[in-house]
Amino acid sequence: MPVNTLAHALAHSAWLRRTLAADPELAAELPARLHAPFTRAEMSERYAAFAVADEAMLKTALRRLRRALLARLIARDMEGLATLDEVMATISDFALFAVDTALAALKPELARYGRPIGDESGREQEMIVIGMGKLGGDELNVSSDIDLIFIYPESGETDGNRKISNHEYFTLLGKKLIAALSELTADGFVFRVDMRLRPYGDSGPLVMSYAALENYLLTQGREWERYAWIKARVMTGDDAVLADLARPFVYRKYLDYNAYGAMRELYKQIQREVARRDLIDNIKLGQGGIREIEFIAQVFQLIRGGREKSLQTRSTREALARLGDMRLLEPEAVTELADSYDFLRRLEHRLMYLDDQQTQTLPVDPAQRACIATSMDCADWDAFVARLNRVRATVHRHFEQVFFLPTEEHVSHPLSGLWADIQEDGAAAQLGELGYDDAPQVMRSLAAFANSQRYRDLPTKNRQRIDALIPALIEVAAGCDGPDTTLTRILGLIEAISRRSSYIALLTEYPQTLKRLASLYSASPWVSNYLTKHPILLDELLDARVLYAEPDWPQLAAGLAHQLDDARGDVEAQMDILRHFQHAQQFRLVAQDLAGMWPLEALSDQVSLLADTVLAACVRAAWLDIGKRHVEVPKFAVIGYGKLGGKELGYGSDLDLIFLYDDPHPDAPDLYARLARKLSTWLTAATPAGILYDIDLRLRPDGAAGLLVSTVDAFANYQRGKAWLWEHQALTRARFVAGDAAVGDRFEKTRFDVLTMTRDPGSLRAEVLAMRERMRESHPPRDDDIKHAHGGIVDVEFIVQYLVLGHAWRFPELTGNLGNIALLGLAANAGLIDHELAKQAQDAYRHYRRLQHALRLQEGRKVMPDAALLVHYAQVTRLWEQVMQPGPGD
């Protein structure tokens, strides 16, 4: 394309034709500069050439600069040389430049008042200009208003001869800035300025102090203002104001599903205005328009932005992309919305290029229609309208999928009357017909809930939402096994969250979650108590694809690390992030477990991988929280023993840990001791989000009396020279879990060396038997206790430990951390035990673990010994007798 081609641009834009005709110098330079974007450096260079000396010259310089910039933007865009990103970024950058430049030029105009000084700090104050809307998101339109808010740090007064208050000073400065940008002169305007987004709108003060803004947001800030402040950006001055004042107002610490109702109401107001002003052809406000795409992105930002810092972005397209990465929107939906946004924003610019008018409404003039159709690569107006309608239909379809509320504008639930008249005659009979076993008792439970002071004292909106929920919950619970118990458990949840409107809103907004909720509450009291204790996990019920997806631990670990990095410096926030992550992943595994997706051994592997992931993240984050550390990556390892070491963790299992390091630095002992203490606190401290894990550190060298963290060499020396036999038994179920892999390798070598030591069979057997007897003294064997029964879990573990310690020197494969079932098989293959007895013990151990797991889910403590269990006990006892009776030469 020749550099002087302006045909498309001139044919499209009457404003460009008039401008170039009136400004021969600009007309001459434009073709030569067409291939270069209009950069900030060029803005500064051109402005400097005006040698601005007063307010009048400022207005002239900025308006002529805008004229040159807009002419080139139109030309570059229409000639296919500029992307949508360039157009939006260039005009947004010019707005920043214009505001900053104008403020600098206008302050001397107020020199007679002196400098505004803060009462508290005694320092000179600056006006903070906040850009809102598309300006804040670097998505400004070429002919758009700019939405501004003016604030300043402190009250006080100026220090000049004519003293005025800081409020008066900044009000004068703000008025001058507005005039400098928006006043219509012979050279046009720079930007129309809209101040209506400021606190109290048109009736509010033009400027406001930090304290006044904070008070307003805390006490009077409305839901729609949260939406507006998502895109807020500081254009001049200290940008910490947003983090300190606005972000806590916009982004809640919890998942805020109330945002749906607020956004839905705002949308209704917009649609009423669209209908009143006949704006159906408005591609911003009309159905399927730009605003609907923005609302889709922003409702998720309002709901989740407090927890997912990556959603705290001002850019609509960035927000959509991140929602896709998080699977909150399907990738196909993100692609369609992003493509639609691109189409609608390019169309919006072309509407504005026609005559530099702030319009998003399709033209009626046939010539303008032809221009628009051609500029959007369509053969004619009809073809363009067909394409536009497809785009708008796509956007509105996605909008409805996000914002459609099944409980709105529909007939009430069929059981609404039952709930409303729960104490009336006939309620019990109706509950019985639904399938409840003890219908009168269920009726009394529901009536007690309805009459409870807690329910009666609820805010009206919460009570209305609960009234809409209860009939649906009665229905879904009736379809579950044990409907009476299921409904009772769910009522406990509703009571627990009744004052937390966001959780009630979640269940109301997503009625499809109720069946999943009832299914889980029916299946396990442990699960129902866990969810009631951590209602934030209700969010996990929203998407079955995520809930039942096999964990991708590397991806999950990377996401967790990113979240922790975002919260660097805020230990409380990091601890909560870790807890939310652990609770969410454990809940997903429970749901998958109850759905029959995992064999028990594989499930234990997953629960153990979760602990590994959390521990690795804890080590990294806790270390980075230590000041004056001598290395960025600690030479430190976490070693897991017991169920963690053997990858047999269950829900709620304790973690048996020791900490090792290998670092010659003189500060290492103190630093790693601090790290170990910090890790213990991070894992066990109770925060509002709960705890991570209970831990046991008594397996470290010298037990509770020993150092919290040891060097690898000290650990090796202890294991070879001072450790008791039971500590070597424990070592059979130990592994490197998290931290420095090199330190972990040294531990594994020590473990191998210790386990393959030659031991006297008779002495080994005597010590193992003595240890087992001591355990029986504190835990007498009973058939209803599968762990400590004769032939129970502990006997299987002792058999395996004895075989490893007694024979690993000949069969080193026994040192593998493979689990008791696999090690029994290896021992049989090595000829150490009878194959049939080994198989029976393997089957018994599987059975024990399944029973133990089921007891955990049902919150039981004892098992009912049946004939099958007694047979397993007897088979393991036979293996015990074979292994533990003295052999020849003992």
Side-chain angles (χ1 to χ4, degrees):
M1 180 185 294
V3 296
N4 61 349
T5 297
L6 294 173
H8 292 105
L10 290 169
H12 184 86
S13 175
W15 178 88
L16 184 62
R17 292 194 297 272
R18 289 196 309 272
T19 298
L20 296 186
D23 191 339
E25 186 178 342
L26 179 59
E29 76 163 36
L30 183 56
R33 292 177 178 259
L34 188 60
H35 284 270
F38 213 111
T39 64
R40 173 66 77 95
E42 186 174 352
M43 295 176 206
S44 299
E45 181 183 340
R46 284 176 174 259
Y47 176 79
F50 285 99
V52 170
D54 56 30
E55 202 168 343
M57 292 179 66
L58 168 70
K59 292 177 181 179
T60 299
L62 289 177
R63 282 153 179 75
R64 292 183 179 178
L65 179 56
R66 188 240 184 202
R67 189 163 64 204
L69 180 144
L70 185 57
R72 194 186 307 175
L73 263 187
I74 293 174
R76 281 180 57 76
D77 192 4
M78 296 308 302
E79 302 300 336
L81 299 174
T83 63
L84 174 63
D85 282 332
E86 181 190 322
V87 175
M88 294 191 301
T90 301
I91 197 69
S92 299
D93 199 31
F94 176 58
L96 291 171
F97 174 83
V99 169
D100 195 43
T101 302
L103 270 183
L106 292 168
K107 280 199 288 187
E109 300 285 329
L110 301 178
R112 61 189 178 278
Y113 300 112
R115 301 172 305 152
I117 304 298
D119 275 342
E120 294 182 15
S121 67
R123 292 195 295 267
E124 181 176 357
Q125 305 289 290
E126 296 289 335
M127 187 164 81
I128 313 297
V129 179
I130 298 176
M132 307 288 281
K134 288 184 170 64
L135 170 58
D138 280 328
E139 298 166 339
L140 200 61
N141 298 322
V142 291
S143 297
S144 176
D145 292 353
I146 56 174
D147 297 294
L148 302 180
I149 292 176
F150 301 150
I151 59 176
Y152 59 93
E154 298 176 41
S155 297
E157 64 178 14
T158 60
D159 62 358
N161 293 328
R162 296 180 58 186
K163 294 183 185 296
I164 57 174
S165 69
N166 288 353
H167 183 84
E168 291 172 304
Y169 176 90
F170 289 119
T171 299
L172 290 172
L173 183 58
K175 288 179 178 178
K176 285 183 172 292
L177 175 61
I178 293 169
L181 297 176
S182 64
E183 186 178 285
L184 192 62
T185 73
D187 294 300
F189 63 92
V190 187
F191 288 101
R192 306 172 190 90
V193 177
D194 190 336
M195 301 296 297
R196 289 175 296 175
L197 288 179
R198 71 186 189 268
Y200 305 105
D202 283 340
S203 63
L206 189 67
V207 298
M208 185 173 274
S209 69
Y210 285 6
L213 174 63
E214 182 176 30
N215 181 65
Y216 173 84
L217 294 177
L218 285 174
T219 62
Q220 300 189 55
R222 290 157 290 181
E223 285 296 321
W224 70 262
E225 289 177 288
R226 290 180 61 206
Y227 152 79
W229 279 85
I230 285 176
K231 289 184 175 293
R233 70 175 294 175
V234 171
M235 301 175 68
T236 65
D238 183 6
D239 63 2
V241 62
L242 288 183
D244 295 341
L245 301 181
R247 285 206 182 101
F249 167 67
V250 177
Y251 298 111
R252 307 295 195 238
K253 287 186 177 181
Y254 51 85
L255 295 171
D256 185 13
Y257 286 94
N258 287 312
Y260 274 117
M263 295 286 274
R264 199 179 281 116
E265 182 56 37
L266 178 58
Y267 179 76
K268 286 180 180 177
Q269 292 174 17
I270 292 171
Q271 292 310 297
R272 286 193 290 268
E273 186 70 4
V274 167
R276 187 181 69 81
R277 295 169 54 194
D278 192 21
L279 299 176
I280 301 302
D281 284 338
N282 187 296
I283 64 165
K284 175 183 177 182
L285 302 178
Q287 193 173 92
I290 296 166
R291 184 55 55 82
E292 288 190 3
I293 301 175
E294 294 172 338
F295 272 26
I296 290 170
Q298 287 162 348
V299 74
F300 285 108
Q301 289 179 281
L302 288 177
I303 291 170
R304 298 174 178 276
R307 284 187 56 200
E308 298 287 349
K309 295 293 179 64
S310 64
L311 288 176
Q312 294 184 15
T313 174
R314 300 186 304 271
S315 164
T316 300
R317 288 188 296 177
E318 247 182 69
L320 289 172
R322 291 174 186 178
L323 292 172
D325 293 340
M326 297 166 66
R327 294 305 296 264
L328 294 171
L329 288 175
E330 282 298 296
E332 296 81 6
V334 171
T335 298
E336 289 182 348
L337 288 169
D339 290 347
S340 299
Y341 184 82
D342 182 88
F343 177 88
L344 291 170
R345 290 304 307 274
R346 287 190 297 108
L347 172 58
E348 181 183 43
H349 286 145
R350 280 150 179 73
L351 292 173
M352 293 178 175
Y353 292 161
L354 289 170
D355 209 16
D356 189 21
Q357 294 295 313
Q358 185 191 8
T359 181
Q360 286 99 0
T361 300
L362 298 176
V364 295
D365 177 72
Q368 289 186 339
R369 285 184 167 188
C371 284
I372 292 296
T374 302
S375 71
M376 296 301 292
D377 300 319
C378 294
D380 54 33
W381 180 252
D382 289 341
F384 162 74
V385 169
R387 183 179 175 192
L388 173 61
N389 287 341
R390 288 194 298 272
V391 169
R392 294 176 71 168
T394 297
V395 171
H396 193 64
R397 171 168 52 84
H398 288 299
F399 180 83
E400 284 193 320
Q401 287 172 353
V402 171
F403 282 94
F404 175 65
L405 180 58
T407 58
E408 278 194 349
E409 299 172 5
H410 287 68
V411 296
S412 61
H413 192 279
L415 297 180
S416 294
L418 170 63
W419 169 239
D421 301 325
I422 194 60
Q423 299 178 78
E424 302 296 324
D425 293 340
Q430 193 173 353
L431 289 166
E433 291 170 3
L434 288 170
Y436 286 94
D437 298 322
D438 188 349
Q441 180 55 46
V442 172
M443 183 196 76
R444 287 191 290 272
S445 297
L446 288 166
F449 183 90
N451 290 324
S452 67
Q453 197 64 41
R454 186 180 186 89
Y455 170 78
R456 290 177 177 277
D457 290 344
L458 288 174
T460 301
K461 192 168 186 177
N462 286 30
R463 196 164 59 250
Q464 289 172 343
R465 282 175 168 168
I466 289 174
D467 287 341
L469 274 176
I470 295 292
L473 291 172
I474 293 172
E475 181 183 37
V476 295
C480 295
D481 293 335
D484 303 46
T485 303
T486 302
L487 184 59
T488 299
R489 291 170 182 168
I490 293 176
L491 285 176
L493 168 69
I494 299 301
E495 184 175 14
I497 65 174
S498 59
R499 289 194 171 277
R500 305 172 77 173
S501 59
S502 185
Y503 294 135
I504 298 295
L506 182 156
L507 295 175
T508 308
E509 296 284 350
Y510 292 96
Q512 71 270 24
T513 61
L514 300 183
K515 285 188 177 180
R516 290 180 205 137
L517 178 70
S519 176
L520 290 169
Y521 271 59
S522 170
S524 164
W526 185 88
V527 174
S528 64
N529 288 336
Y530 191 71
L531 189 50
T532 300
K533 186 178 178 181
H534 304 293
I536 196 170
L537 297 174
L538 289 169
D539 181 64
E540 297 296 325
L541 299 175
L542 297 184
D543 192 336
R545 295 163 304 175
V546 175
L547 184 62
Y548 296 109
E550 183 174 338
D552 182 338
W553 292 111
Q555 183 181 35
L556 289 168
L560 176 59
H562 183 70
Q563 282 188 289
L564 291 169
D565 286 344
D566 282 345
R568 181 85 62 84
D570 187 342
V571 170
E572 182 180 350
Q574 289 183 311
M575 290 172 71
D576 280 348
I577 286 167
L578 287 162
R579 282 152 178 75
H580 291 316
F581 175 86
Q582 195 269 351
H583 296 158
Q585 300 310 317
Q586 179 160 269
F587 181 70
R588 291 180 188 179
L589 290 172
V590 171
Q592 294 169 20
D593 174 19
L594 294 174
M597 290 176 56
W598 295 103
L600 182 56
E601 290 85 352
L603 176 67
S604 294
D605 285 345
Q606 295 298 317
V607 178
S608 301
L609 280 167
L610 170 57
D612 294 357
T613 302
V614 170
L615 286 166
C618 270
V619 169
R620 178 175 176 271
W623 179 251
L624 293 175
D625 189 53
I626 293 176
K628 298 183 179 178
R629 56 189 182 274
H630 61 294
V631 289
E632 283 303 293
V633 179
K635 299 175 182 179
F636 175 95
V638 179
I639 309 301
Y641 276 72
K643 289 184 178 180
L644 175 62
K647 297 183 180 179
E648 292 183 353
L649 276 187
Y651 309 130
S653 293
D654 296 352
L655 303 185
D656 294 301
L657 306 175
I658 69 166
F659 305 130
L660 303 177
Y661 72 95
D662 185 19
D663 190 337
H665 193 278
D667 294 337
D670 177 61
L671 285 170
Y672 293 125
R674 289 172 60 193
L675 176 58
R677 289 192 297 271
K678 191 178 288 286
L679 277 175
S680 299
T681 299
W682 281 39
L683 291 168
T684 63
T687 76
I691 68 166
L692 271 176
Y693 293 99
D694 288 321
I695 63 172
D696 191 334
L697 303 176
R698 291 174 296 177
L699 287 173
R700 67 186 186 269
D702 293 314
L707 295 172
L708 197 58
V709 61
S710 303
T711 66
V712 176
D713 288 336
F715 175 79
N717 292 334
Y718 176 84
Q719 289 291 336
R720 293 189 180 101
K722 294 178 61 180
W724 296 84
L725 179 69
W726 67 263
E727 292 177 281
H728 288 178
Q729 287 179 253
L731 200 60
T732 64
R733 283 159 59 85
R735 64 184 176 90
F736 164 67
V737 168
D740 188 295
V743 179
D745 287 343
R746 290 203 60 192
F747 161 78
E748 295 292 352
K749 183 180 185 308
T750 296
R751 176 179 178 274
F752 180 85
D753 291 344
V754 171
L755 296 184
T756 54
M757 291 166 53
T758 56
R759 294 175 175 86
D760 175 68
S763 299
L764 174 63
R765 182 178 292 108
E767 288 192 62
V768 170
L769 288 170
M771 173 60 66
R772 185 68 187 97
E773 285 305 312
R774 284 195 292 275
M775 287 187 68
R776 287 188 175 123
E777 290 173 6
S778 57
H779 296 89
R782 298 193 318 268
D783 287 347
D784 61 2
D785 182 351
I786 54 176
K787 181 174 182 180
H788 297 287
H790 283 297
I793 289 174
V794 174
D795 282 354
V796 176
E797 292 173 344
F798 269 57
I799 289 168
V800 171
Q801 291 162 10
Y802 171 80
L803 292 170
V804 172
L805 294 176
H807 301 282
W809 65 277
R810 289 190 297 144
F811 303 101
E813 63 269 24
L814 291 174
T815 63
N817 200 318
L818 307 172
N820 290 316
I821 292 173
L823 290 172
L824 285 168
L826 289 176
N829 292 337
L832 301 177
I833 55 176
D834 178 78
H835 272 282
E836 182 59 27
L837 287 178
K839 182 179 181 306
Q840 291 173 354
Q842 288 172 319
D843 291 342
Y845 193 72
R846 288 190 186 95
H847 187 67
Y848 299 159
R849 290 196 58 209
R850 284 194 291 269
L851 286 176
Q852 204 174 40
H853 184 63
L855 279 176
R856 178 65 175 169
L857 287 174
Q858 297 306 317
E859 295 193 332
R861 295 188 176 184
K862 297 178 181 179
V863 67
M864 293 295 292
D866 56 14
L869 180 60
L870 295 176
V871 168
H872 284 310
Y873 285 160
Q875 290 170 337
V876 172
T877 299
R878 282 199 294 274
L879 178 59
W880 174 273
E881 291 169 351
Q882 183 197 75
V883 171
M884 292 304 177
Q885 37 183 295
D890 282 2

